[in-house]
Amino acid sequence: MDLLNTLVDKGLRRELPTREEALAVLATSDDDLLDVVAAAGKVRRHWFGRRVKLNYLVNLKSGLCPEDCSYCSQRLGSKADILKYTWLKPDEASQAAAAGLAGGAKRVCLVASGRGPTDRDVDRVSQTIKAIKEQNEGVEVCACLGLLSDGQAERLREAGADAYNHNLNTSEGTYGDITTTHTYADRVDTVQKAHAAGLSACSGLIAGMGETDEDLVDVVFSLRELDPDSVPVNFLIPFEGTPLAKEWNLTPQRCLRILAMVRFVCPDVEVRIAGGREVHLRTMQPLALHLANSIFLGDYLTSEGQAGKADLEMITDAGFEVEGADQVTLPDHRAGTAGACGSHAEAGCGSHEGAGCGSHEGGGVCGTAAVPAAGEPRTDLVAVRRRGAGTDLAPNA
């Protein structure tokens, strides 16, 4: 296919595709899907080899957010039956992080719900960063705390943070349909503040909220212009009790085409499969590793993910390898920055309500119940997190 040959050539040269080429990737047929994955896989392997970076989330503060992001289970007015707790103490957060690091993660992502941190919150997170780094040599730490005020990114950097995550989520043209309590420009401003402070900027999107192909291309092109080191791709988890609970628009094939488009537009950045991979990619998750070079290990913020052991087996069985702590994630021309961060939902920064087959009852992707027909909602794969941070139960990592 001439389109794919052109896109591979451009990806190897870090050349931006045209909007028409990006839209054409999303419009390819299921018959051409493996060709699309193979083409984008060439670009992924050129810049990142067969390495898969593992990231681990610690939800520092869950629920009770004053923002009205429609996708979020922690939003204002949410009726989702999620865990709600105030700030973890630094030693509690460090203990939670240790589980993910023991499982092979090289980056810890510290997330807190809310519009943005107060100066006291920044002090609290700074103490947590120091506690984690003192106990885990070489670990990367990313913060995701919502909208930043002047000077806060610099303070986080001084405390030892390597990266900051804040997602654009959707196109500027449709942003007001998803959130009304802050603006698209607010999000752009926070990503720019992180950049200016010397933090590795991480910003991504959420697919499956009813957007058009044009919206998806718009947000990915905007991300390319912002030039983050990492672009997390979230697939909406339609949590019961949120305004988007009925939005079940994704198929595994659609998810793969979206990931391929992101890889072609952002060839040399860390593309992370974030929330929703277990729910929407399901048994096609291994194919997605040919497109993305990074995933989260274990559970997410308010939902459960695939068992950490299953993640590691999937990576090995697909012919990939876990990226070591001594390996640099980014290509040489980007390696001067701190790396890349993850996508963290309800911190005012992006949806990432994953679910899967961890240890929760009901089976998830490993269950034995009858499988719904293609295109039907997979509510059986959405499980509220009941373990790890904020509970007395061991985390999934």
Side-chain angles (χ1 to χ4, degrees):
M1 188 185 296
D2 289 342
L3 167 68
L4 297 179
N5 291 332
T6 298
L7 288 170
V8 170
D9 288 343
K10 287 187 173 183
L12 300 185
R13 298 195 305 265
R14 297 164 56 203
E15 181 180 337
L16 181 66
T18 66
R19 285 183 52 83
E20 291 71 24
E21 288 167 343
L23 287 166
V25 172
L26 296 178
T28 53
S29 70
D30 287 351
D31 289 341
D32 292 325
L33 182 62
L34 289 181
D35 292 331
V36 173
V37 171
K42 291 180 181 178
V43 179
R44 180 254 202 263
R45 290 191 301 277
H46 176 80
W47 295 110
F48 299 97
R50 290 193 161 277
R51 293 174 286 113
V52 178
K53 183 175 183 177
L54 298 181
N55 309 267
Y56 190 70
L57 279 169
V58 177
N59 197 1
L60 297 177
K61 179 169 72 79
S62 183
L64 308 176
C65 182
E67 302 299 286
D68 69 353
C69 307
S70 298
Y71 50 79
C72 183
S73 64
Q74 301 185 81
R75 73 187 297 273
L76 179 70
S78 171
K79 294 180 174 58
D81 185 25
I82 61 169
L83 291 171
K84 297 181 178 67
Y85 54 86
T86 190
W87 291 93
L88 298 181
K89 296 178 181 178
D91 60 330
E92 294 173 326
S94 182
Q95 184 176 358
L101 296 171
K106 62 183 292 185
R107 170 157 294 192
V108 174
C109 300
L110 301 175
V111 190
S113 61
R115 177 180 178 84
T118 64
D119 287 341
R120 182 183 178 189
D121 293 337
V122 172
D123 289 339
R124 183 183 282 118
V125 175
S126 295
Q127 293 171 10
T128 298
I129 292 169
K130 291 174 182 176
I132 291 172
K133 291 217 163 190
E134 284 174 0
Q135 297 174 32
N136 301 277
E137 184 178 356
V139 65
E140 300 174 5
V141 176
C142 173
C144 178
L145 311 173
L147 301 172
L148 293 175
S149 301
D150 290 344
Q152 291 183 327
E154 287 79 4
R155 291 177 58 197
L156 290 168
R157 185 76 181 101
E158 290 170 5
D162 300 288
Y164 196 84
N165 165 261
H166 201 63
N167 295 334
L168 297 186
N169 290 331
T170 192
S171 68
E172 183 174 12
T174 59
Y175 194 83
D177 297 332
I178 300 298
T179 304
T180 66
T181 48
H182 60 267
T183 67
Y184 180 90
D186 290 332
R187 289 187 174 270
V188 171
D189 178 67
T190 287
V191 177
Q192 292 173 336
K193 281 184 168 68
H195 256 313
L199 291 165
S200 177
C202 167
S203 189
L205 65 141
I206 309 169
M209 298 192 292
E211 70 282 337
T212 65
D213 285 2
E214 288 76 11
D215 291 324
L216 286 170
V217 170
D218 282 348
V219 68
V220 177
F221 271 59
S222 295
L223 288 166
R224 165 85 180 225
E225 186 175 352
L226 275 178
D227 196 32
D229 289 325
S230 175
V231 174
V233 181
N234 294 278
F235 301 112
L236 175 73
I237 305 301
F239 247 85
E240 290 297 326
T242 65
L244 298 183
K246 305 303 180 185
E247 295 285 344
W248 287 86
N249 305 311
L250 298 171
T251 64
Q253 294 81 7
R254 171 76 168 168
C255 293
L256 290 170
R257 281 190 282 269
I258 292 169
L259 287 167
M261 185 270 287
V262 174
R263 175 56 72 196
F264 286 131
V265 176
C266 304
D268 61 334
V269 307
E270 179 184 350
V271 175
R272 178 173 300 104
I273 320 169
R277 65 177 167 94
E278 300 91 341
V279 178
H280 296 294
L281 281 163
R282 300 191 289 275
T283 58
M284 302 285 270
Q285 288 182 70
L287 270 183
L289 296 177
H290 291 271
L291 308 168
N293 61 297
S294 182
I295 65 171
F296 282 103
L297 179 73
D299 290 335
Y300 301 96
L301 295 179
T302 63
S303 62
E304 295 190 349
Q306 182 165 279
K309 183 174 182 291
D311 286 337
L312 298 176
E313 289 177 348
M314 175 182 72
I315 290 168
T316 299
D317 289 349
F320 293 87
E321 61 184 27
V322 173
E323 183 174 289
D326 59 340
Q327 293 177 295
V328 178
T329 300
L330 296 170
D332 289 345
H333 60 276
R334 283 188 173 271
T337 57
C341 176
S343 159
H344 327 302
E346 307 87 20
C349 50
S351 167
H352 132 193
E353 299 301 355
C357 76
S359 60
H360 63 273
E361 297 192 13
V365 294
C366 296
T368 56
V371 177
E376 290 187 12
R378 290 301 305 269
T379 54
D380 59 309
L381 297 183
V382 181
V384 174
R385 180 173 68 84
R386 301 296 186 199
R387 61 193 175 199
T391 77
D392 295 327
L393 299 178
N396 169 32

